[in-house]
Amino acid sequence: MLSQEKRDIVKSTAPVLAEHGTTITKVFYQNLFNAHPELLNIFNHANQAQGRQQAALANAIYAAAVHIDNLENILPAVVQIANKHVSLGIKPEHYPIVGEFLLKAIKEVLGDAATDEILNAWEEAYGVIADAFIGVEANMYKEAREQENGWNFFKPFTVVLKKQESDIITSFYLKPADGSNVPDFKPGQYISLRVSIPGEQYTMIRQYSLSQATRSDEFRISVKREADNDPNGVVSVFLHKQIHEGDTVEVSAPAGEFLLDVTKTTPVAFISAGVGITPMMSMLETVATTTPDRPTVFLHAARNEALAAFRDDVEKHAANMNNAKYKTFYSSEPNGIITREVLETYVDTTGDAYVCGPVSFMEAMIRELRTLGMTEGQIHYEFFGPAMQLDNN
């Protein structure tokens, strides 16, 4: 445990690190990868190039410093990040490397202001924070490994079916290459795919939501193809253009905390935009097959009809339910967005709402749902990319 003196030092210097946080983390990643290029096999290169990973790390460091007296206050954030770490294959031995280069970056950016006393306090604080992550992740690895058909890290899967869902979204049906079954997963979870792309020096890992209810023998992911010149699209373009039925990819065990509460039978609304529909498909199918009497609303926003995926699937699931309403909104048409009035018409605010899509869409939906009287505990959301803070005030 940290002494009170060192906790005070960490808390008092947290604002300074917040002010210089993005600069510190930029220097950190640059020096880290120069010394340990093998770690580029794990990190998302696009997030690095666009600064998202640096900002996410800076936010996490600041939050941990502010709550150093009681890290339980940030446990939800720790669990969310730990899920990503487990899906990427982060190991305990990675943490000392990160700590070393983080402290060096603090010293490089702050110079003489980073005294030995401050650096010693932060070194100990980092050790406490790292131990918290390592402990949480050890339990997650154990659970993933010991469940039926479970495993840790990455396992070869075969693409058994490739199906186009819209002009830009294609589903990939994946089965273990060794002929085994897959573990049960919770609706809303994701898996990581690790691929080696010709011409790229390092492997690349991306997370994709599981887009159907749990099956004994397969996973399904549904991938949006980004533009060929978009750095975010390197893996999605590779999957769409170069991965075919019969090919093999590496897959991690299911992870994630954006989960449908399957114990409830109270009203539920699924509200999505774009490729944010993918985890909603798993949730909707689960409700349709396990609690078909549950009052359910499914609202989806797309730019136009050609880009809207899963319309037939949504209609099929809704037909198996006794109290389901669904509608797709096309922004290219008049009145083609999900407004407060739409939410007021469709959503039962005594129940729960699940929201997924672009950040600006989620911010708007969460804000409007709160205006309609829904509480934080009733609104559940997931975004893509590094952990970040939504502006939904």
Side-chain angles (χ1 to χ4, degrees):
M1 294 295 293
L2 281 178
S3 68
Q4 186 61 51
E5 178 185 6
K6 290 185 176 177
R7 288 201 299 269
D8 290 341
I9 292 172
V10 168
K11 286 188 291 185
S12 67
T13 54
V16 178
L17 264 68
E19 180 183 350
H20 299 280
T22 303
T23 303
I24 291 170
T25 53
K26 183 178 180 180
V27 170
F28 157 73
Y29 280 117
Q30 181 178 339
N31 293 342
L32 175 69
F33 294 141
N34 283 341
H36 294 275
E38 73 279 3
L39 293 178
L40 286 166
N41 288 306
I42 297 175
F43 285 84
N44 185 313
H45 306 170
N47 288 337
Q48 291 293 324
Q50 297 178 4
R52 294 197 298 260
Q53 194 71 56
Q54 292 89 327
L57 177 59
N59 291 338
I61 293 169
Y62 178 72
V66 169
H67 295 284
I68 195 66
D69 282 332
N70 190 357
L71 288 176
E72 284 78 8
N73 289 338
I74 62 167
L75 186 58
V78 170
V79 170
Q80 182 188 43
I81 297 170
N83 269 279
K84 289 283 179 70
H85 285 178
V86 168
S87 77
L88 293 170
I90 299 295
K91 300 177 181 179
E93 54 263 36
H94 291 137
Y95 281 91
I97 299 172
V98 168
E100 175 190 350
F101 283 89
L102 182 59
L103 289 168
K104 287 180 177 178
I106 293 172
K107 180 63 177 177
E108 182 174 337
V109 173
L110 299 185
D112 292 341
T115 65
D116 289 345
E117 182 182 43
I118 290 173
L119 290 175
N120 287 337
W122 273 94
E123 182 178 10
E124 286 198 32
Y126 174 81
V128 171
I129 296 164
D131 285 345
F133 275 98
I134 290 169
V136 170
E137 289 160 18
N139 288 333
M140 290 181 177
Y141 278 125
K142 183 175 185 291
E143 182 178 350
R145 182 176 62 251
E146 293 183 353
Q147 65 182 323
E148 188 175 3
N149 302 308
W151 75 95
N152 282 161
F153 307 114
F154 289 89
K155 177 177 177 176
F157 272 63
T158 302
V159 179
V160 296
L161 176 65
K162 184 177 177 181
K163 179 184 177 185
Q164 188 168 346
E165 307 289 0
S166 76
D167 281 4
I168 58 172
I169 294 178
T170 294
S171 288
F172 296 81
Y173 292 75
L174 309 169
K175 292 190 176 184
D178 62 6
S180 64
N181 282 336
V182 299
D184 287 341
F185 65 87
K186 301 178 180 66
Q189 288 191 303
Y190 56 81
I191 57 175
S192 287
L193 259 65
R194 183 169 68 183
V195 295
S196 296
I197 299 178
E200 296 288 344
Q201 183 177 0
Y202 301 102
T203 58
M204 293 192 178
I205 303 174
R206 296 292 186 273
Q207 281 91 31
Y208 297 105
S209 297
L210 292 158
S211 60
Q212 65 181 9
T214 189
R215 303 280 198 280
S216 64
D217 62 339
E218 71 179 16
F219 293 143
R220 184 181 80 173
I221 59 170
S222 303
V223 181
K224 175 188 174 185
R225 176 175 172 169
E226 305 292 348
D228 287 3
N229 60 352
D230 186 340
N232 290 311
V234 174
V235 175
S236 74
V237 170
F238 173 73
L239 292 174
H240 276 251
K241 294 178 68 173
Q242 298 187 51
I243 291 295
H244 306 289
E245 293 175 5
D247 289 343
T248 300
V249 294
E250 292 184 294
V251 175
S252 71
E257 286 296 297
F258 179 56
L259 307 176
L260 174 70
D261 187 340
V262 295
T263 66
K264 290 186 176 181
T265 57
T266 47
V268 62
F270 303 114
I271 306 165
S272 62
V275 74
I277 194 173
T278 52
M280 304 303 193
M281 294 306 301
S282 175
M283 294 183 184
L284 177 65
E285 184 181 358
T286 300
V287 173
T289 55
T290 62
T291 52
D293 293 330
R294 186 174 186 181
T296 303
V297 167
F298 194 96
L299 305 176
H300 181 62
R303 289 200 300 274
N304 55 55
E305 188 171 353
L307 301 182
F310 301 115
R311 286 169 298 167
D312 291 344
D313 286 355
V314 171
E315 187 174 341
K316 178 187 71 176
H317 296 320
N320 292 327
M321 304 173 71
N322 298 321
N323 189 1
K325 300 176 183 177
Y326 62 94
K327 186 171 182 179
T328 302
F329 296 79
Y330 303 119
S331 59
S332 59
E333 299 178 357
N335 302 316
I337 61 173
I338 302 176
T339 62
R340 181 186 304 176
E341 290 71 27
V342 169
L343 296 174
E344 193 170 20
T345 299
Y346 281 91
V347 177
D348 186 331
T349 56
T350 67
D352 289 85
Y354 292 80
V355 182
C356 189
V359 171
S360 59
F361 171 82
M362 291 195 298
E363 288 174 346
M365 293 301 99
I366 293 167
R367 185 169 55 248
E368 299 298 358
L369 290 169
R370 286 177 173 173
T371 299
L372 294 176
M374 296 190 78
T375 65
E376 184 72 26
Q378 293 175 280
I379 305 171
H380 318 272
Y381 54 86
E382 174 76 306
F383 53 83
F384 304 105
M388 56 185 288
Q389 185 68 41
L390 288 179
D391 180 8
N392 47 49
N393 295 321

